[in-house]
Amino acid sequence: MATKKKAKSSGSGPVEKSVNKLNGKAISSRASGTPEARDTARLLLEIEAIHCRPDNPYIFTSGRASPVYIDCRKIISFPEARAKIMQHAFKMIDKTIGWSKIDVVAGGETAGIPFAAFLAALAKKSMIYVRKQPKGFGRMAQIEGDLKPGKRVLLVEDLATDGGSKLVFIEALKKAEAKVTDCFVIFHYGIFPQSIEMLAAGGVKLHALATWWDALEAAQKHKYFDEKGLTETRAFLEAPEQWSANHGGRPPAPRSMLGR
């Protein structure tokens, strides 16, 4: 396992130390750099929501192989970390979007629902949630809760990889005549340009507390990954498709089958 609780670095010579120092600078230059991003990344590592397994890569629904995996759902089980992360989210949204410009907070089924609820409570806003598809019986509803036409809706999810699933939720909200210009996630992979481009094409801006570059910086600083974990994770972030192909990953699925 390349993920370790406060892993101690193995002995290294002067040359290796110099390389690590330069790598650290390179990582920091790509990280978000905000105190909220750094603290969110640290908290995610602390509650073991971030895993690193380069010797046995994770295979995602898109077919990609990855040395790292994040489970933002774990946040809901840790009250102190949850409270801090949601406060960071609340403040970031107010700064980058403005809560006065948001009428309703929408959670994407299922992982986005608790985070939408936490944020709606903090902001004292109405909350709804959006299904991936109509439930198939009764009212055939795809949107649960009360949503009036013309309301300004913030879509909330736990994370974004290449952004595919967000389009489904946004389309449903727009069909209901909601105004959707922003999407917020706790964690954004930050290595697939299409995650921003696809949403932008639909007039939606993606906002995130932290990215993998923030997580890698925190993992290095607080010694959560061993040397191999740091090296392989950085290699993946630099060239995800190449790393995936070299470690058993399948070619990315067609657009209709994109991941989160």
Side-chain angles (χ1 to χ4, degrees):
M1 292 292 290
T3 307
K4 297 183 180 180
K5 183 66 174 178
K6 297 291 183 180
K8 291 185 178 180
S9 176
S10 56
S12 56
V15 174
E16 187 176 2
K17 288 182 179 179
S18 177
V19 170
N20 287 339
K21 185 177 181 181
L22 290 173
N23 285 349
K25 288 182 179 180
I27 292 168
S28 296
S29 69
R30 299 191 188 191
S32 301
T34 67
E36 293 80 10
R38 291 192 181 104
D39 195 45
T40 297
R42 179 188 62 79
L43 289 165
L44 290 170
L45 285 159
E46 188 176 282
I47 65 174
E48 298 182 1
I50 291 176
H51 306 274
C52 184
R53 199 175 70 188
D55 292 326
N56 183 21
Y58 300 94
I59 303 296
F60 298 145
T61 55
S62 64
R64 294 185 181 95
S66 169
V68 283
Y69 176 77
I70 180 165
D71 181 7
C72 286
R73 294 173 179 84
K74 289 195 72 173
I75 296 171
I76 65 177
S77 298
F78 294 84
E80 291 185 6
R82 182 182 71 209
K84 290 177 182 177
I85 290 173
M86 298 321 297
Q87 278 294 334
H88 291 330
F90 176 80
K91 291 178 181 177
M92 179 188 176
I93 291 168
D94 193 39
K95 181 179 180 180
T96 59
I97 304 171
W99 281 108
S100 63
K101 298 179 181 178
I102 298 168
D103 300 314
V104 181
V105 181
E109 180 192 16
T110 56
I113 294 174
F115 301 113
F118 299 145
L119 285 169
L122 285 171
K124 295 181 172 58
K125 298 288 183 179
S126 176
M127 183 233 165
I128 60 174
Y129 71 85
V130 191
R131 298 179 186 275
K132 295 181 179 71
Q133 57 187 11
K135 60 183 179 181
F137 58 89
R139 294 182 297 112
M140 301 293 288
Q142 188 168 359
I143 296 175
E144 298 291 356
D146 186 62
L147 177 62
K148 299 290 193 300
K151 291 295 184 180
R152 299 167 297 181
V153 178
L154 172 67
L155 175 63
V156 173
E157 279 255 74
D158 63 332
L159 62 84
T161 53
D162 53 24
S165 69
K166 312 297 178 286
L167 300 177
V168 175
F169 299 134
I170 290 167
E171 182 180 359
L173 290 166
K174 288 186 174 180
K175 280 185 178 179
E177 300 181 52
K179 296 179 180 178
V180 189
T181 59
D182 297 275
C183 174
F184 172 80
V185 295
I186 302 295
F187 196 91
H188 178 213
Y189 267 55
I191 55 175
F192 301 115
Q194 60 265 44
S195 62
I196 295 175
E197 294 167 358
M198 288 196 314
L199 292 179
V204 177
K205 184 175 182 179
L206 181 64
H207 308 264
L209 266 183
T211 70
W212 270 118
W213 290 107
D214 297 305
L216 185 58
E217 180 185 52
Q220 183 177 51
K221 179 179 179 180
H222 300 289
K223 296 180 171 52
Y224 277 96
F225 289 5
D226 63 19
E227 289 301 317
K228 184 172 184 179
L230 292 170
T231 299
E232 293 298 326
T233 300
R234 184 180 176 187
F236 170 72
L237 299 185
E238 293 278 5
E241 306 297 4
Q242 181 180 336
W243 196 97
S244 175
N246 292 341
H247 293 80
R250 302 185 301 276
R255 177 169 176 165
S256 61
M257 294 295 289
L258 282 173
R260 303 178 66 194

